[in-house]
Amino acid sequence: MAGLLIKNALIVPMDDCSRAEDWFKGDVAIEGSLIKEVGESLQEKYPSFTVLNGQDSLVMPGFINCHTHAAMTMLRGYADDLPLMTWLEEMIWPREAHLDREDIYWGTQLAILEMIKSGTTTFADMYFYMDETAQAVLESGIRASLSRGMVGSGATAELALEESVEFIQTWQGQGEGRITCMFGPHAPYTCPPAYLERVMALADDWGVGIHIHLAETVDEVAKITKQEGLRPVELMDSIGLFQGRHVLAAHCVHLSEKEIEILAKNKVGIAHNPESNMKLASGIAPISQLLEKGAFVGLGTDGAASNNNLDMLEEMRTCALLHKVAAMDPTVLPAKQVLRMATKGGAKVLGLEHVGSLAVGEKADLLIFDLKKPHLTPLYNPLANLVYAAQSSDLKTVIIDGKIVMQERQVLTMDEERILFEAEKRGQDLIHKK
Ligand SMILES: [Zn+2]
């Protein structure tokens, strides 16, 4: 089987193996969808492999965006600087009601194009018309964990259960395993406990995880505590949500000490979305406390309507800076820890094995950055340069599942011109619909 060989690069493996250094000079050999070997002078060993020159380049695992709503790119910049409920009820929800299947398809194409161009190789998505999202994932070559968003009360609650099952039946494992599925009950305040119990039973039947928004705002905590007599994470624990299954919980901003313990003890995957939490003024999640307790924490951008981009380099930098100033302690969340959250840590949050690091047998999802840039010079600590100085335009090449999907900033699997045209046209139509 033909392979790829990245030669003479600066390698940042983000693996957990015995190697003492966080970076070293060497080669990466890729065969099929997997990393075959990471080491030195590999060309003699793999003479038939196509060589990519890694001189003046940095190679690292692709970023994992642990929480987004991809097609919300269609609402980027439509409503900003508003209180959360005004933003949702008066601006976002009325427009979302007009989104049709084709809008979702093109909005997701736009999101994937942006993600690949800024180094995301895997994303976790929750939205509606997810067949169109999955189709865009399939065609683009990216990896994704997809959930059909479910609201557990009102006319569509039953339909959401049926369609989620159909979605999982159709898409789980598609794209040579690049697509995985979860159930996506929206949040404790939109899905009552009895409904969540039905979702849990179905998730167990189908052997998939659950993706949910949890403890995002002060209002949510107040509402759930008043209704149920327990805080949101306590309530989820009391119905057994975290027992014996994989759960991806987005946000986890407002947590008591006890709730931090619950999330850490049960290895719940936490998607931290610092920019969205800042922009909507939701609050600051207790990330260093969660990490100290051994919780699984990854990074996400959330949808483009509350961020307003899907750039994981920017999200890493924001994450590190936010927690330093919040704690008034510059030693909090050092670059390596944040980089880990954006790579292998994110894979754990999504429950994906063999993704997120450059090690033998891992999926070949990797990025090649151009180091010959003013803002990346001099290069003392590549991890610090990645988190604090790098820009997505420094990224040259993206490989996902062993295939080159972006080369010299051209996404080979997507029609960039058509995507920008469709998204602009459909966006303009969408915001003028009565
Ligand atoms: Zn969200």
Side-chain angles (χ1 to χ4, degrees), residues 67 69 213 250-251 302-303:
H67 179 71
H69 312 282
H213 294 89
H251 300 300
D302 210 351

Side-chain angles (χ1 to χ4, degrees), residues 102-235:
E102 276 205 73
D103 294 332
I104 299 293
Y105 174 77
W106 288 106
T108 306
Q109 287 263 349
L110 180 67
I112 294 172
L113 183 64
E114 184 187 353
M115 286 193 273
I116 290 174
K117 294 192 96 165
S118 52
T120 292
T121 54
T122 299
F123 70 105
D125 205 66
M126 182 202 291
Y127 215 48
F128 52 94
Y129 296 145
M130 289 302 284
D131 289 323
E132 322 312 308
T133 302
Q135 187 61 35
V137 169
L138 193 69
E139 292 167 12
S140 66
I142 201 167
R143 192 180 303 284
S145 175
L146 305 175
S147 331
R148 183 225 191 264
M150 315 164 80
V151 170
S153 57
T156 60
E158 290 303 314
L159 184 69
L161 290 168
E162 283 165 32
E163 286 190 358
S164 291
V165 169
E166 275 172 19
F167 178 71
I168 290 161
Q169 266 178 318
T170 310
W171 290 102
Q172 175 76 340
Q174 290 292 313
E176 296 86 41
R178 281 186 289 112
I179 297 178
T180 48
C181 301
M182 288 192 230
F183 281 88
H186 172 261
Y189 61 92
T190 48
C191 296
Y195 188 80
L196 285 172
E197 280 165 5
R198 293 176 65 194
V199 175
M200 285 153 53
L202 282 172
D204 296 349
D205 286 349
W206 288 93
V208 300
I210 291 178
H211 183 177
I212 189 168
H213 294 89
L214 189 57
E216 181 175 1
T217 63
V218 170
D219 284 353
E220 174 186 340
V221 176
K223 188 177 171 192
I224 296 289
T225 307
K226 190 170 169 220
Q227 267 174 16
E228 310 284 343
L230 291 169
R231 295 171 58 90
V233 174
E234 292 173 342
L235 176 66

Side-chain angles (χ1 to χ4, degrees), residues 3-11 24-31 35 37-43 46 49-61 358 364-369 396-400 402-404:
L4 290 170
L5 184 79
I6 306 167
K7 205 181 143 191
N8 282 334
L10 181 70
I11 298 170
F24 52 90
K25 275 286 228 184
D27 303 347
V28 181
I30 296 165
E31 190 177 46
I35 294 173
E37 192 167 348
V38 181
E40 279 170 47
S41 309
L42 297 181
Q43 195 171 7
Y46 304 103
F49 283 19
T50 304
V51 175
L52 302 177
N53 183 7
Q55 199 66 41
D56 298 322
S57 302
L58 181 151
V59 181
M60 65 167 292
L358 302 188
D365 294 358
L366 44 88
L367 313 177
I368 307 179
F369 283 92
K396 286 188 299 191
T397 302
V398 178
I399 296 172
I400 306 174
K403 296 190 178 73
I404 300 175

